[in-house]
Amino acid sequence: MRHATLFVCLLLCSRAAHAQSEESDVDVVIRSSRVGEDRRRVESGTAAVTSVDVRDSLERWSATEEILDRLAGVRVRRLGGLGSFSTLSIRGSTAAQVLVLLDGMPLHDAASGTANLAAVPLSALERIDVYRGDAPAGLGPAGPGGVVALWTRQPRESSIRASGTMGSFGTRRLTLLGSAAPSPATASSRLWLSGNLSYEGTDGDYDYYDDAGTELVSSDDVVRVRRNADHRSLTGNLRLGWANPSLRLDASTLASASDTGLPGLGAFPALRARSGQTRALGSLRATFFDLSEALPRLEVHLDALAQQDHIDDPDAELSATARRERSITARATGGATLHAAPSGTLDLRLDAALTRETLSRTALGEPARGRTVVAGAAEARLRLGAVRVVPAVRVDVVTDDDDAGTEISWSPRLGVRQALLSAPILALDLRAHLGVYGRSPTFLELYGDRGVLVGNPDLVPENGVTGDLGLIADLPRRARRGRPRLRAELSVYAVETTDLIVLVQNAQRTAIPRNLSGARVLGLESSVESQIPVSRLVGFRAAGTYGLTASESRERGPTFGRSLPGRPLHELWLRLESRIAFVVLGVDLDVASTAYVDEVELVRTAPRYLLGADVQLRLGPVTITLEARNLLDRIVERVPAIPHTPGTPATLPLPLSDYAGHPLPGRTLSLTVGTGSP
């Protein structure tokens, strides 16, 4: 199975508040989109959350994981170039400790418990919300990392858009967007339809630095061309909605098919191993408004996912024996959300859901695996003048088919937000959060894949406590078009985990999951963004994020006090952008310190210093964008030799990678042409 192999490298390391209304000429109120409602819930909450509008993504060669990698507290890890398996960590979490949703549907599969961000084309999305640490309890069983909510496009008018990209290493992309949204001005209801079709492909034949698997010996190092790293995928998304003053129906579906080479480690390349995936997921939601004065809204939903993965390794290049695996995962969820407003200062939200997920890997001669989860959540939003208090609790009851026991996980949490200053020129908000979380082992962690991952059925659920304190500044208090503005945020956080599930990699590159009795993560995250419009034709923008993540094992023994795998201490991202008439120029810098990938701090990844630049021409309905990533073509960095022997070089070359042994591309150029109404 594709995720079974890739997941080894991976882990080494709600829906509404108050509905906006639109008044027509005939005094008919049409309810706004769920995206619009959730924007208000994001802004009125106490969580550390960043909301990113990505509606102009067609104009650039951008991927979902690249947008996320620029946000405070977020780190994306890739196994290679375009189409390679990509996941994210938030605040030093593992990938399985982050919940990723698409229109409210979980994107993870039943086996690995993680979501591949590369499988969701950015062109299908309208907005991305990233909750760091705290998140609304009704969204799902969030770990200490938080929640990433991806929202597909809802049209505001009828339009057709298209774009095409050509780039280095045979990279190409074609995207077509279409939407129909009849105006509600003369009708008592509204119907909308949007669709997205995207093809992506690459040959993946980039140069990389091969250290032959001997970090301390540089005499055998050479530069090679990556082979069997090609990728092809086709993704389609369709969203249909209908609304009147008392009811809104919303259906969304996404289907994809991909074929990807598995090139293996840079020092030990695999030339024939392949993986593929076919996936379909869909959701149907019905929202009833104005049930009563105290019950303004009820939402019921049904989500489903079906996914087939395959991995072919005929020459045993990735594991000890030749493999040809097929696996099928399926998940179905039904639930309801009730919103109540018993008073003008109190909002209540109650969630209940039932989930059934299964995993079948008949090629391995295993029995089918199954799991049932019953969940409930309650959240209150209390407004006391300038103070907002949000207590919440969530309970998940997990029952595995082959285990007579039942695991019950309670996740109480409390969020507070205080408006320290609310003047026209400056707004200061203080927010804090404290919560408890729990996570059950995934099927892959429990049973392995009989290849590069050995299962551990003795794993127990991990549990932890997470908290943060943050300050948000807006200058001025309300942003206005054409006026300078500045927004800054600073947060500190802490996560204390018991029985943390980690993957321990041995010399044969086989990994075994185990429970680490204790782990601690302390961190700081900051972000700043400024826009300075000089005139209608000239403007400047600057943005940056910085993260400090100090992690350590608290387990007694040789690993006590050592950093947790896959967590760099420092991360920095900066971007400067200028607009002069129809020309937009930009430059960005991505910096990350080295990170160890093992428990005893012997194997590490190289530090990262990546410079990028782009120029965009906006010629009416046509945009032309030329972009350069890793402009200086840095594929290797020199790091201190550990251990250092007298008479030998004090520094050694280390290939650029997110996961040790899986090199990343060097300089990458791309040209994108887009046309159509925004």
Side-chain angles (χ1 to χ4, degrees):
M1 167 179 151
R2 180 188 184 197
H3 286 177
T5 299
L6 301 181
F7 184 60
V8 176
C9 303
L10 202 166
L11 280 187
L12 285 170
C13 353
S14 217
R15 293 179 174 82
H18 296 291
Q20 177 191 19
S21 60
E22 301 171 346
E23 295 189 6
S24 70
D25 294 339
V26 291
D27 297 327
V28 175
V29 179
I30 304 299
R31 302 295 176 175
S32 67
S33 70
R34 294 183 66 242
V35 170
E37 292 175 0
D38 281 272
R39 185 189 302 274
R40 286 157 181 76
R41 192 169 186 85
V42 165
E43 294 171 350
S44 65
T46 61
V49 58
T50 302
S51 184
V52 183
D53 190 325
V54 294
R55 283 175 292 179
D56 65 348
S57 59
L58 280 183
E59 300 175 356
R60 299 180 181 273
W61 175 248
S62 297
T64 303
E65 61 268 27
E66 291 179 330
I67 298 296
L68 290 168
D69 203 22
R70 302 167 184 171
L71 304 181
V74 178
R75 180 172 187 245
V76 171
R77 304 180 72 189
R78 308 171 184 85
L79 286 177
L82 174 69
S84 61
F85 200 83
S86 303
T87 59
L88 79 163
S89 166
I90 300 179
R91 293 182 168 180
S93 71
T94 65
Q97 292 173 334
V98 179
L99 178 64
V100 182
L101 305 172
L102 177 67
D103 289 340
M105 300 177 288
L107 279 179
H108 66 268
D109 61 68
S112 67
T114 61
N116 180 13
L117 299 172
V120 182
L122 189 63
S123 59
L125 303 179
E126 177 170 309
R127 202 178 91 252
I128 301 174
D129 295 331
V130 179
Y131 295 87
R132 306 185 303 278
D134 187 21
L139 287 181
V147 175
V148 175
L150 310 175
W151 300 101
T152 57
R153 296 172 181 261
Q154 177 176 304
R156 292 162 177 80
E157 60 183 13
S158 298
S159 65
I160 295 179
R161 301 177 66 189
S163 74
T165 299
M166 296 295 292
S168 303
F169 321 122
T171 298
R172 62 270 184 195
R173 179 182 71 179
L174 293 173
T175 301
L176 179 64
L177 285 174
S179 63
S183 171
T186 59
S188 60
S189 62
R190 183 185 180 194
L191 176 69
W192 64 87
L193 173 68
S194 65
N196 171 82
L197 186 63
S198 178
Y199 166 79
E200 293 183 350
T202 183
D203 297 335
D205 52 350
Y206 53 86
D207 291 345
Y208 73 96
Y209 191 88
D210 180 9
D211 64 0
T214 56
E215 179 181 322
L216 301 179
V217 179
S218 58
S219 59
D220 57 356
D221 296 357
V222 296
V223 175
R224 299 186 186 276
V225 176
R226 197 66 159 150
R227 301 298 185 191
N228 193 37
D230 60 297
H231 167 77
R232 297 184 300 275
S233 68
L234 181 65
T235 304
N237 167 256
L238 186 65
R239 184 171 179 180
L240 174 66
W242 177 86
N244 69 15
S246 60
L247 173 65
R248 185 176 70 235
L249 300 176
D250 202 336
S252 177
T253 182
L254 184 142
S256 63
S258 65
D259 178 68
T260 305
L262 298 178
L265 299 172
F268 308 99
L271 302 180
R272 295 185 60 197
R274 309 288 302 178
S275 70
Q277 182 186 93
T278 304
R279 180 172 66 165
L281 64 159
S283 71
L284 177 63
R285 281 168 166 74
T287 306
F288 303 88
F289 298 96
D290 301 327
L291 301 178
S292 68
E293 184 175 349
L295 299 175
R297 185 161 64 256
L298 170 67
E299 178 184 295
V300 294
H301 63 89
L302 177 64
D303 306 330
L305 175 144
Q307 179 174 306
Q308 177 175 285
D309 296 90
H310 77 263
I311 179 170
D312 295 327
D313 185 14
D315 300 331
E317 296 172 301
L318 301 176
S319 55
T321 60
R323 290 190 297 161
R324 183 180 177 85
E325 297 178 9
R326 298 292 184 273
S327 66
I328 298 176
T329 61
R331 183 180 64 245
T333 301
T337 301
L338 178 64
H339 298 262
S343 69
T345 60
L346 177 63
D347 291 334
L348 296 176
R349 170 172 169 160
L350 303 175
D351 293 88
L354 173 65
T355 300
R356 174 66 180 173
E357 56 184 6
T358 60
L359 167 65
S360 174
R361 294 190 294 186
T362 55
L364 296 180
E366 293 183 354
R369 311 289 184 183
R371 173 176 290 176
T372 302
V373 181
V374 180
E379 180 180 280
R381 295 201 171 201
L382 183 62
R383 296 178 294 276
L384 303 173
V387 180
R388 301 170 190 166
V389 181
V390 183
V393 63
R394 179 181 177 90
V395 59
D396 293 271
V397 182
V398 182
T399 304
D400 287 346
D401 292 353
D402 55 355
D403 187 356
T406 296
E407 299 169 0
I408 302 178
S409 174
W410 291 87
S411 302
R413 63 194 71 172
L414 176 66
V416 179
R417 184 163 182 161
Q418 165 77 52
L420 300 179
L421 179 63
S422 184
I425 62 171
L426 177 64
L428 288 176
D429 280 10
L430 181 70
R431 51 159 198 78
H433 155 255
L434 182 66
V436 176
Y437 84 95
R439 183 181 77 86
S440 298
T442 66
F443 289 144
L444 199 60
E445 293 166 336
L446 288 170
Y447 309 115
D449 69 340
R450 298 190 180 180
V452 293
L453 179 63
V454 179
N456 183 358
D458 295 326
L459 290 174
V460 298
E462 61 182 37
N463 298 276
V465 179
T466 175
D468 62 44
L469 178 68
L471 184 66
I472 306 168
D474 286 291
L475 179 68
R477 181 167 61 92
R478 293 184 178 179
R480 296 182 179 179
R481 183 182 296 274
R483 301 286 183 87
R485 70 179 183 89
L486 173 70
R487 180 178 177 86
E489 183 173 355
L490 176 67
S491 300
V492 293
Y493 61 88
V495 181
E496 191 83 21
T497 305
T498 303
D499 295 322
L500 176 68
I501 300 174
V502 296
L503 291 183
V504 181
Q505 193 174 23
N506 58 27
Q508 289 74 39
R509 304 292 181 173
T510 297
I512 302 175
R514 75 175 187 91
N515 288 112
L516 194 66
S517 62
R520 176 180 297 165
V521 177
L522 303 176
L524 176 148
E525 60 191 20
S526 60
S527 64
V528 61
E529 180 179 3
S530 176
Q531 293 188 3
I532 306 176
V534 178
S535 67
R536 189 173 63 87
L537 298 178
V538 179
F540 300 92
R541 174 179 175 269
T545 63
Y546 169 73
L548 171 67
T549 305
S551 64
E552 63 176 5
S553 168
R554 305 300 295 172
E555 183 175 73
R556 296 296 175 182
T559 66
F560 183 83
R562 296 186 182 272
S563 61
L564 300 177
R567 295 162 173 86
L569 181 62
H570 301 283
E571 292 181 278
L572 173 71
W573 176 79
L574 297 173
R575 178 169 175 82
L576 300 175
E577 188 176 283
S578 64
R579 175 179 55 85
I580 304 175
F582 58 88
V583 180
V584 179
L585 303 174
V587 61
D588 55 73
L589 176 67
D590 182 9
V591 178
S593 60
T594 189
Y596 291 97
V597 301
D598 65 329
E599 292 184 293
V600 293
E601 298 184 351
L602 293 177
V603 183
R604 53 190 164 164
T605 59
R608 176 185 303 173
Y609 310 95
L610 302 183
L611 181 67
D614 56 84
V615 56
Q616 183 179 88
L617 305 179
R618 298 178 178 177
L619 307 173
V622 177
T623 59
I624 302 174
T625 307
L626 176 64
E627 298 172 87
R629 291 169 172 77
N630 195 355
L631 188 61
L632 302 181
D633 199 25
R634 303 180 77 106
I635 61 174
V636 62
E637 299 290 346
R638 299 199 68 88
V639 299
I642 302 176
H644 178 231
T645 303
T648 62
T651 61
L652 294 172
L654 197 61
L656 178 69
S657 65
D658 282 336
Y659 297 97
H662 293 266
L664 296 175
R667 182 186 299 114
T668 305
L669 304 177
S670 64
L671 177 66
T672 301
V673 179
T675 182
S677 58

